[in-house]
Every structure is written in structure tokens, then in C-alpha cells.
Amino acid sequence: MDDINFAVLGTGGIGRRALDYSTKKDSLTPVAACDRNGVAVDHDGLDVDELLAATEGNIASDGGAVAVKQSGQQKGVAASTQAQPTETPIDDIIAESDTIDAVLIALPNLEHDFIPRVADRFAEADYEGVLVDVLKRSRVIGMLDDRAEMLEDSGITFVCGAGATPGFLTGAAALAAQSFVEIEEVEIWWGVGLKSGYEDNRGTVREDIAHLDGYDIETARDLSDAEIEAIIEEHDGRIEFNDMEHADDVLLERAGICDAEDVTVGGILDVRSDEKPTTTTVSVTGRTFDGEVGTNTFQLDDNTSMEANVNGPALGYLKAGVRRNRAGEYGVFGPADLMPGF
């Protein structure tokens, strides 16, 4: 595959690691990145090390990277020597998008229609390329499917839910289902240890808290950092989630694997240890063509970090999206529709 020029919207935990990870991937060249206060563009390729140094400490309660003051010095993308301050970062990236093959949307999803509205803006600007997100919420997939015709007409290939779960593990479930003619149940169970990366992943923690009893996306969005810390303390730093509204369910249904109601997602988040509190597994139970009932299980090694399991697939699906786009295939794709590139 020819080199792929790509941009990253958002330089919080996922965005920063995607930029770093891309320097270890063949054929990927990051040419643009932004947070809410700054934008960096270099069509020959960003100096990722310098940009990461400038954005170190991009801690935001909403999970996005913002310019903050530390010792009187501005931090964030705007502090990079490659960048300039802006009040319209997404529009600035769109203005440069003629030479950008793909865009990774690594922005907080604390408003259900935010990422779909970002897609609208690229389509309205006649962008022809790939958009990739790592969103989690099931209900957002329908909003993107409602835009499928618009995206097709625009020449956009949109790969949605392309992280770990949904994403990597959704694709694993689709493969594990191939032994069966009827799926009875899909169970996704994840474990994440975040001690070393907690400061860079506050937005992820906030989105996960929205799945706890008594919370939803609106109440989680309004929590202060102190309130989030109190919830973490209440659970001794180790929070268990059950029956999460993760988009794996609708993504597997739209791919024809099973009914959404047959999919359950849960896991354990430990913000006080780097070690995974439980092994990440995908279990698919079904009936074979000869009437036998069995369970296929896919398991991630405990040494693979959340960062590796989110950003690796995100960039792999980005590559797959570019292949589809260059072949003239446009519209909305899920992680069960594609095999990520390496």
C-alpha cells in the first residue's frame, strides 16, 4: 500500500498514543493533529516527538486535549513549534483535507451526536477520504447509518467503533461465530489496568462511569474531577461494569452475526495497577450445522495493554478503510465488516 497521510482530531490519551504508535507502523504518515486550542499541519510529516512533548500533560475533565496553564506556560498543541493557536481546530483540519487520506477522530463522545456531526462537517466540505472513530455507544451507530447515503455520495468511507471494544473484540466475535449456523450468546469481558496512564485517560474513565447504576452519559459529563475521584475511591480503585451499552451489539447485528440482545459486554477497570485485573476474552456460543452446541473463546494476552489493543486496531482499521476508499467503496463500515491492516 502507498503511504497514507492521516490526521488525528484530539490529542488526549488515544490521540497521543495513535500518533506515537503510527511512527512504528509502515506506510502511515501523520500530517495533522489538533486539540481544541491548537492545530499542527505539516504535509511532509509531523515531528511526532516534539508534538508529544508539547502536549504532555493534556489532562482534561472531558477527555479532550486542551491548552492548560502550567507554570505560566501554555501547553497543548498550540505550544508546539509546528502549530498555531486556533478557535476552529476541526475546521482548520478540514481546510487541509485535500491531501489527507484518513482522519482518526479521537475526541470525547460525551454528546451522542457529536461524532456524527463531525462527519457532517467533513461531508459538507466535500472531503473524499476515510473517517475512523473509536466510539463506544450503541445508539451512535444508528446516527451514522442514517448518514450512510450522504457519506457514500461524498466519497467518504467511515469506519465506526474501531478500537478494542467495540472494534478488535467485535471482529474477533465475528470470526469466532463462523463455526456456527446459529448464535446463542456473545460475551465480551475486558480487563484494563490504568495506573500509569490514568492521567491521560480521564475521559475514558468518565465514559465508563456512565455505565454504572445511577449514572448515564449526561450525568457523567457533568461530574467534576473530584466527584470522579470519589467514585473511584468508593470502589477502591477497581470498578466492575456489567451490561454496558457498548456498540458491539448493534455492530454484530448489522453484520448479520447475531441479534443485538444476544450480546453482553462487561469488564473491570483498575486505576491503581498497571496489571490487568482480569483477562480480556470473547466467548461465542452457538449451534453447529450438525446440531452440536459449543463455545469458541478468543483471549488477549494479559501483557497486551489497553493502549496496544485500542490504538493498534484503530490504525489497522484506518488502513483497511483506505483500501476500501481507494477501491471506490464508500459509506459506513463496522469492525465486523473489515479485517484491519497491519
Side-chain angles (χ1 to χ4, degrees), residues 283-311:
S283 298
V284 180
T285 300
R287 186 176 301 278
T288 67
F289 75 96
D290 50 2
E292 297 295 329
V293 174
T295 300
N296 286 343
T297 300
F298 177 88
Q299 179 176 301
L300 297 185
D301 190 277
D302 289 344
N303 287 329
T304 60
S305 65
M306 183 195 77
E307 294 84 0
N309 294 328
V310 171
N311 290 285

PDB file of all heavy atoms in Angstrom, residues 283-311:
ATOM      1  N   SER A 283     -16.310 -14.736  24.156  1.00  0.00           N
ATOM      2  CA  SER A 283     -16.866 -16.089  24.101  1.00  0.00           C
ATOM      3  C   SER A 283     -18.118 -16.082  23.235  1.00  0.00           C
ATOM      4  O   SER A 283     -19.044 -15.304  23.484  1.00  0.00           O
ATOM      5  CB  SER A 283     -17.215 -16.601  25.503  1.00  0.00           C
ATOM      6  OG  SER A 283     -16.048 -16.681  26.309  1.00  0.00           O
ATOM      7  N   VAL A 284     -18.130 -16.940  22.223  1.00  0.00           N
ATOM      8  CA  VAL A 284     -19.266 -17.038  21.306  1.00  0.00           C
ATOM      9  C   VAL A 284     -19.834 -18.448  21.411  1.00  0.00           C
ATOM     10  O   VAL A 284     -19.138 -19.431  21.115  1.00  0.00           O
ATOM     11  CB  VAL A 284     -18.850 -16.739  19.858  1.00  0.00           C
ATOM     12  CG1 VAL A 284     -20.052 -16.860  18.923  1.00  0.00           C
ATOM     13  CG2 VAL A 284     -18.239 -15.347  19.751  1.00  0.00           C
ATOM     14  N   THR A 285     -21.075 -18.543  21.852  1.00  0.00           N
ATOM     15  CA  THR A 285     -21.748 -19.832  21.988  1.00  0.00           C
ATOM     16  C   THR A 285     -22.775 -19.971  20.878  1.00  0.00           C
ATOM     17  O   THR A 285     -23.555 -19.052  20.617  1.00  0.00           O
ATOM     18  CB  THR A 285     -22.448 -19.945  23.353  1.00  0.00           C
ATOM     19  OG1 THR A 285     -21.467 -19.818  24.389  1.00  0.00           O
ATOM     20  CG2 THR A 285     -23.164 -21.284  23.506  1.00  0.00           C
ATOM     21  N   GLY A 286     -22.760 -21.134  20.227  1.00  0.00           N
ATOM     22  CA  GLY A 286     -23.692 -21.340  19.125  1.00  0.00           C
ATOM     23  C   GLY A 286     -23.908 -22.806  18.820  1.00  0.00           C
ATOM     24  O   GLY A 286     -23.330 -23.691  19.462  1.00  0.00           O
ATOM     25  N   ARG A 287     -24.732 -23.042  17.819  1.00  0.00           N
ATOM     26  CA  ARG A 287     -25.064 -24.400  17.394  1.00  0.00           C
ATOM     27  C   ARG A 287     -24.475 -24.628  16.001  1.00  0.00           C
ATOM     28  O   ARG A 287     -24.637 -23.794  15.104  1.00  0.00           O
ATOM     29  CB  ARG A 287     -26.584 -24.574  17.375  1.00  0.00           C
ATOM     30  CG  ARG A 287     -27.051 -26.009  17.090  1.00  0.00           C
ATOM     31  CD  ARG A 287     -28.568 -26.092  17.192  1.00  0.00           C
ATOM     32  NE  ARG A 287     -29.038 -25.698  18.508  1.00  0.00           N
ATOM     33  CZ  ARG A 287     -29.062 -26.509  19.567  1.00  0.00           C
ATOM     34  NH1 ARG A 287     -28.633 -27.765  19.448  1.00  0.00           N
ATOM     35  NH2 ARG A 287     -29.525 -26.080  20.727  1.00  0.00           N
ATOM     36  N   THR A 288     -23.772 -25.756  15.858  1.00  0.00           N
ATOM     37  CA  THR A 288     -23.143 -26.062  14.582  1.00  0.00           C
ATOM     38  C   THR A 288     -24.165 -26.652  13.600  1.00  0.00           C
ATOM     39  O   THR A 288     -25.293 -26.982  13.980  1.00  0.00           O
ATOM     40  CB  THR A 288     -22.002 -27.078  14.761  1.00  0.00           C
ATOM     41  OG1 THR A 288     -22.552 -28.341  15.157  1.00  0.00           O
ATOM     42  CG2 THR A 288     -21.014 -26.615  15.810  1.00  0.00           C
ATOM     43  N   PHE A 289     -23.752 -26.816  12.356  1.00  0.00           N
ATOM     44  CA  PHE A 289     -24.668 -27.332  11.328  1.00  0.00           C
ATOM     45  C   PHE A 289     -25.123 -28.756  11.642  1.00  0.00           C
ATOM     46  O   PHE A 289     -26.178 -29.196  11.179  1.00  0.00           O
ATOM     47  CB  PHE A 289     -24.000 -27.278   9.946  1.00  0.00           C
ATOM     48  CG  PHE A 289     -22.969 -28.337   9.730  1.00  0.00           C
ATOM     49  CD1 PHE A 289     -23.291 -29.525   9.086  1.00  0.00           C
ATOM     50  CD2 PHE A 289     -21.657 -28.157  10.170  1.00  0.00           C
ATOM     51  CE1 PHE A 289     -22.344 -30.505   8.880  1.00  0.00           C
ATOM     52  CE2 PHE A 289     -20.705 -29.135   9.976  1.00  0.00           C
ATOM     53  CZ  PHE A 289     -21.045 -30.309   9.335  1.00  0.00           C
ATOM     54  N   ASP A 290     -24.313 -29.494  12.444  1.00  0.00           N
ATOM     55  CA  ASP A 290     -24.707 -30.861  12.769  1.00  0.00           C
ATOM     56  C   ASP A 290     -25.339 -30.984  14.151  1.00  0.00           C
ATOM     57  O   ASP A 290     -25.430 -32.070  14.722  1.00  0.00           O
ATOM     58  CB  ASP A 290     -23.523 -31.825  12.639  1.00  0.00           C
ATOM     59  CG  ASP A 290     -22.279 -31.332  13.380  1.00  0.00           C
ATOM     60  OD1 ASP A 290     -22.360 -30.271  14.027  1.00  0.00           O
ATOM     61  OD2 ASP A 290     -21.244 -32.009  13.299  1.00  0.00           O
ATOM     62  N   GLY A 291     -25.787 -29.825  14.694  1.00  0.00           N
ATOM     63  CA  GLY A 291     -26.594 -29.838  15.902  1.00  0.00           C
ATOM     64  C   GLY A 291     -25.848 -29.759  17.211  1.00  0.00           C
ATOM     65  O   GLY A 291     -26.476 -29.753  18.285  1.00  0.00           O
ATOM     66  N   GLU A 292     -24.528 -29.679  17.165  1.00  0.00           N
ATOM     67  CA  GLU A 292     -23.762 -29.583  18.400  1.00  0.00           C
ATOM     68  C   GLU A 292     -23.727 -28.142  18.908  1.00  0.00           C
ATOM     69  O   GLU A 292     -23.701 -27.191  18.121  1.00  0.00           O
ATOM     70  CB  GLU A 292     -22.331 -30.086  18.184  1.00  0.00           C
ATOM     71  CG  GLU A 292     -22.232 -31.541  17.793  1.00  0.00           C
ATOM     72  CD  GLU A 292     -22.709 -32.475  18.884  1.00  0.00           C
ATOM     73  OE1 GLU A 292     -22.570 -32.125  20.078  1.00  0.00           O
ATOM     74  OE2 GLU A 292     -23.237 -33.549  18.544  1.00  0.00           O
ATOM     75  N   VAL A 293     -23.728 -27.989  20.247  1.00  0.00           N
ATOM     76  CA  VAL A 293     -23.595 -26.669  20.865  1.00  0.00           C
ATOM     77  C   VAL A 293     -22.180 -26.529  21.417  1.00  0.00           C
ATOM     78  O   VAL A 293     -21.681 -27.441  22.096  1.00  0.00           O
ATOM     79  CB  VAL A 293     -24.620 -26.465  21.995  1.00  0.00           C
ATOM     80  CG1 VAL A 293     -24.369 -25.150  22.724  1.00  0.00           C
ATOM     81  CG2 VAL A 293     -26.030 -26.501  21.444  1.00  0.00           C
ATOM     82  N   GLY A 294     -21.534 -25.443  21.087  1.00  0.00           N
ATOM     83  CA  GLY A 294     -20.170 -25.230  21.561  1.00  0.00           C
ATOM     84  C   GLY A 294     -19.901 -23.764  21.819  1.00  0.00           C
ATOM     85  O   GLY A 294     -20.725 -22.893  21.498  1.00  0.00           O
ATOM     86  N   THR A 295     -18.763 -23.497  22.408  1.00  0.00           N
ATOM     87  CA  THR A 295     -18.346 -22.122  22.691  1.00  0.00           C
ATOM     88  C   THR A 295     -16.926 -21.921  22.195  1.00  0.00           C
ATOM     89  O   THR A 295     -16.002 -22.638  22.614  1.00  0.00           O
ATOM     90  CB  THR A 295     -18.401 -21.814  24.199  1.00  0.00           C
ATOM     91  OG1 THR A 295     -19.750 -21.981  24.663  1.00  0.00           O
ATOM     92  CG2 THR A 295     -17.950 -20.383  24.473  1.00  0.00           C
ATOM     93  N   ASN A 296     -16.743 -20.978  21.301  1.00  0.00           N
ATOM     94  CA  ASN A 296     -15.413 -20.576  20.856  1.00  0.00           C
ATOM     95  C   ASN A 296     -14.971 -19.372  21.681  1.00  0.00           C
ATOM     96  O   ASN A 296     -15.741 -18.411  21.843  1.00  0.00           O
ATOM     97  CB  ASN A 296     -15.411 -20.204  19.374  1.00  0.00           C
ATOM     98  CG  ASN A 296     -15.497 -21.413  18.476  1.00  0.00           C
ATOM     99  OD1 ASN A 296     -15.248 -22.532  18.910  1.00  0.00           O
ATOM    100  ND2 ASN A 296     -15.847 -21.196  17.216  1.00  0.00           N
ATOM    101  N   THR A 297     -13.746 -19.416  22.182  1.00  0.00           N
ATOM    102  CA  THR A 297     -13.246 -18.343  23.040  1.00  0.00           C
ATOM    103  C   THR A 297     -11.972 -17.752  22.461  1.00  0.00           C
ATOM    104  O   THR A 297     -11.045 -18.496  22.082  1.00  0.00           O
ATOM    105  CB  THR A 297     -12.969 -18.866  24.468  1.00  0.00           C
ATOM    106  OG1 THR A 297     -14.185 -19.379  25.017  1.00  0.00           O
ATOM    107  CG2 THR A 297     -12.460 -17.739  25.361  1.00  0.00           C
ATOM    108  N   PHE A 298     -11.946 -16.437  22.390  1.00  0.00           N
ATOM    109  CA  PHE A 298     -10.784 -15.672  21.939  1.00  0.00           C
ATOM    110  C   PHE A 298     -10.259 -14.916  23.159  1.00  0.00           C
ATOM    111  O   PHE A 298     -11.027 -14.279  23.873  1.00  0.00           O
ATOM    112  CB  PHE A 298     -11.192 -14.705  20.829  1.00  0.00           C
ATOM    113  CG  PHE A 298     -10.104 -13.803  20.332  1.00  0.00           C
ATOM    114  CD1 PHE A 298      -9.267 -14.211  19.305  1.00  0.00           C
ATOM    115  CD2 PHE A 298      -9.907 -12.546  20.874  1.00  0.00           C
ATOM    116  CE1 PHE A 298      -8.267 -13.382  18.834  1.00  0.00           C
ATOM    117  CE2 PHE A 298      -8.907 -11.712  20.409  1.00  0.00           C
ATOM    118  CZ  PHE A 298      -8.085 -12.130  19.380  1.00  0.00           C
ATOM    119  N   GLN A 299      -8.959 -14.987  23.397  1.00  0.00           N
ATOM    120  CA  GLN A 299      -8.396 -14.404  24.620  1.00  0.00           C
ATOM    121  C   GLN A 299      -7.186 -13.539  24.286  1.00  0.00           C
ATOM    122  O   GLN A 299      -6.316 -13.939  23.505  1.00  0.00           O
ATOM    123  CB  GLN A 299      -7.984 -15.537  25.566  1.00  0.00           C
ATOM    124  CG  GLN A 299      -7.356 -15.082  26.866  1.00  0.00           C
ATOM    125  CD  GLN A 299      -7.078 -16.265  27.785  1.00  0.00           C
ATOM    126  OE1 GLN A 299      -8.003 -16.990  28.156  1.00  0.00           O
ATOM    127  NE2 GLN A 299      -5.824 -16.481  28.134  1.00  0.00           N
ATOM    128  N   LEU A 300      -7.137 -12.359  24.903  1.00  0.00           N
ATOM    129  CA  LEU A 300      -5.980 -11.494  24.747  1.00  0.00           C
ATOM    130  C   LEU A 300      -4.964 -11.789  25.845  1.00  0.00           C
ATOM    131  O   LEU A 300      -5.340 -12.015  26.997  1.00  0.00           O
ATOM    132  CB  LEU A 300      -6.382 -10.021  24.826  1.00  0.00           C
ATOM    133  CG  LEU A 300      -7.335  -9.500  23.754  1.00  0.00           C
ATOM    134  CD1 LEU A 300      -7.520  -7.992  23.917  1.00  0.00           C
ATOM    135  CD2 LEU A 300      -6.819  -9.812  22.369  1.00  0.00           C
ATOM    136  N   ASP A 301      -3.705 -11.768  25.488  1.00  0.00           N
ATOM    137  CA  ASP A 301      -2.669 -11.955  26.488  1.00  0.00           C
ATOM    138  C   ASP A 301      -2.694 -10.794  27.483  1.00  0.00           C
ATOM    139  O   ASP A 301      -2.922  -9.634  27.104  1.00  0.00           O
ATOM    140  CB  ASP A 301      -1.294 -12.027  25.816  1.00  0.00           C
ATOM    141  CG  ASP A 301      -0.208 -12.474  26.780  1.00  0.00           C
ATOM    142  OD1 ASP A 301       0.300 -11.609  27.524  1.00  0.00           O
ATOM    143  OD2 ASP A 301       0.120 -13.668  26.796  1.00  0.00           O
ATOM    144  N   ASP A 302      -2.461 -11.092  28.746  1.00  0.00           N
ATOM    145  CA  ASP A 302      -2.503 -10.042  29.771  1.00  0.00           C
ATOM    146  C   ASP A 302      -1.397  -9.012  29.597  1.00  0.00           C
ATOM    147  O   ASP A 302      -1.467  -7.921  30.173  1.00  0.00           O
ATOM    148  CB  ASP A 302      -2.408 -10.665  31.170  1.00  0.00           C
ATOM    149  CG  ASP A 302      -3.677 -11.404  31.559  1.00  0.00           C
ATOM    150  OD1 ASP A 302      -4.715 -11.176  30.903  1.00  0.00           O
ATOM    151  OD2 ASP A 302      -3.636 -12.214  32.514  1.00  0.00           O
ATOM    152  N   ASN A 303      -0.374  -9.327  28.805  1.00  0.00           N
ATOM    153  CA  ASN A 303       0.716  -8.376  28.588  1.00  0.00           C
ATOM    154  C   ASN A 303       0.388  -7.333  27.525  1.00  0.00           C
ATOM    155  O   ASN A 303       1.152  -6.387  27.345  1.00  0.00           O
ATOM    156  CB  ASN A 303       1.999  -9.112  28.183  1.00  0.00           C
ATOM    157  CG  ASN A 303       2.618  -9.851  29.347  1.00  0.00           C
ATOM    158  OD1 ASN A 303       2.501  -9.435  30.495  1.00  0.00           O
ATOM    159  ND2 ASN A 303       3.290 -10.954  29.068  1.00  0.00           N
ATOM    160  N   THR A 304      -0.720  -7.520  26.815  1.00  0.00           N
ATOM    161  CA  THR A 304      -1.114  -6.502  25.842  1.00  0.00           C
ATOM    162  C   THR A 304      -1.917  -5.420  26.561  1.00  0.00           C
ATOM    163  O   THR A 304      -2.925  -5.698  27.189  1.00  0.00           O
ATOM    164  CB  THR A 304      -1.952  -7.099  24.698  1.00  0.00           C
ATOM    165  OG1 THR A 304      -3.141  -7.700  25.238  1.00  0.00           O
ATOM    166  CG2 THR A 304      -1.160  -8.150  23.950  1.00  0.00           C
ATOM    167  N   SER A 305      -1.463  -4.192  26.466  1.00  0.00           N
ATOM    168  CA  SER A 305      -2.069  -3.087  27.198  1.00  0.00           C
ATOM    169  C   SER A 305      -3.318  -2.554  26.499  1.00  0.00           C
ATOM    170  O   SER A 305      -3.579  -2.873  25.330  1.00  0.00           O
ATOM    171  CB  SER A 305      -1.064  -1.938  27.331  1.00  0.00           C
ATOM    172  OG  SER A 305      -0.764  -1.410  26.039  1.00  0.00           O
ATOM    173  N   MET A 306      -4.087  -1.751  27.229  1.00  0.00           N
ATOM    174  CA  MET A 306      -5.225  -1.078  26.615  1.00  0.00           C
ATOM    175  C   MET A 306      -4.767  -0.236  25.437  1.00  0.00           C
ATOM    176  O   MET A 306      -5.408  -0.207  24.388  1.00  0.00           O
ATOM    177  CB  MET A 306      -5.944  -0.183  27.635  1.00  0.00           C
ATOM    178  CG  MET A 306      -7.186   0.493  27.047  1.00  0.00           C
ATOM    179  SD  MET A 306      -7.819   1.844  28.033  1.00  0.00           S
ATOM    180  CE  MET A 306      -6.652   3.149  27.624  1.00  0.00           C
ATOM    181  N   GLU A 307      -3.636   0.455  25.604  1.00  0.00           N
ATOM    182  CA  GLU A 307      -3.128   1.313  24.536  1.00  0.00           C
ATOM    183  C   GLU A 307      -2.862   0.501  23.270  1.00  0.00           C
ATOM    184  O   GLU A 307      -3.201   0.915  22.163  1.00  0.00           O
ATOM    185  CB  GLU A 307      -1.851   2.022  24.989  1.00  0.00           C
ATOM    186  CG  GLU A 307      -2.052   3.023  26.122  1.00  0.00           C
ATOM    187  CD  GLU A 307      -2.044   2.366  27.492  1.00  0.00           C
ATOM    188  OE1 GLU A 307      -1.890   1.130  27.571  1.00  0.00           O
ATOM    189  OE2 GLU A 307      -2.186   3.091  28.496  1.00  0.00           O
ATOM    190  N   ALA A 308      -2.242  -0.682  23.444  1.00  0.00           N
ATOM    191  CA  ALA A 308      -1.949  -1.527  22.284  1.00  0.00           C
ATOM    192  C   ALA A 308      -3.224  -2.056  21.650  1.00  0.00           C
ATOM    193  O   ALA A 308      -3.343  -2.120  20.421  1.00  0.00           O
ATOM    194  CB  ALA A 308      -1.049  -2.692  22.704  1.00  0.00           C
ATOM    195  N   ASN A 309      -4.195  -2.408  22.477  1.00  0.00           N
ATOM    196  CA  ASN A 309      -5.419  -3.032  21.974  1.00  0.00           C
ATOM    197  C   ASN A 309      -6.442  -2.039  21.442  1.00  0.00           C
ATOM    198  O   ASN A 309      -7.416  -2.445  20.811  1.00  0.00           O
ATOM    199  CB  ASN A 309      -6.049  -3.898  23.062  1.00  0.00           C
ATOM    200  CG  ASN A 309      -5.184  -5.085  23.416  1.00  0.00           C
ATOM    201  OD1 ASN A 309      -4.480  -5.617  22.561  1.00  0.00           O
ATOM    202  ND2 ASN A 309      -5.208  -5.494  24.676  1.00  0.00           N
ATOM    203  N   VAL A 310      -6.253  -0.760  21.725  1.00  0.00           N
ATOM    204  CA  VAL A 310      -7.112   0.279  21.147  1.00  0.00           C
ATOM    205  C   VAL A 310      -6.452   0.906  19.926  1.00  0.00           C
ATOM    206  O   VAL A 310      -7.023   0.953  18.841  1.00  0.00           O
ATOM    207  CB  VAL A 310      -7.454   1.372  22.186  1.00  0.00           C
ATOM    208  CG1 VAL A 310      -8.171   2.548  21.502  1.00  0.00           C
ATOM    209  CG2 VAL A 310      -8.326   0.806  23.294  1.00  0.00           C
ATOM    210  N   ASN A 311      -5.225   1.371  20.099  1.00  0.00           N
ATOM    211  CA  ASN A 311      -4.591   2.137  19.034  1.00  0.00           C
ATOM    212  C   ASN A 311      -4.095   1.271  17.881  1.00  0.00           C
ATOM    213  O   ASN A 311      -4.150   1.693  16.724  1.00  0.00           O
ATOM    214  CB  ASN A 311      -3.444   2.966  19.614  1.00  0.00           C
ATOM    215  CG  ASN A 311      -3.943   4.098  20.476  1.00  0.00           C
ATOM    216  OD1 ASN A 311      -4.440   5.102  19.979  1.00  0.00           O
ATOM    217  ND2 ASN A 311      -3.855   3.938  21.787  1.00  0.00           N
TER     218      ASN A 311
END
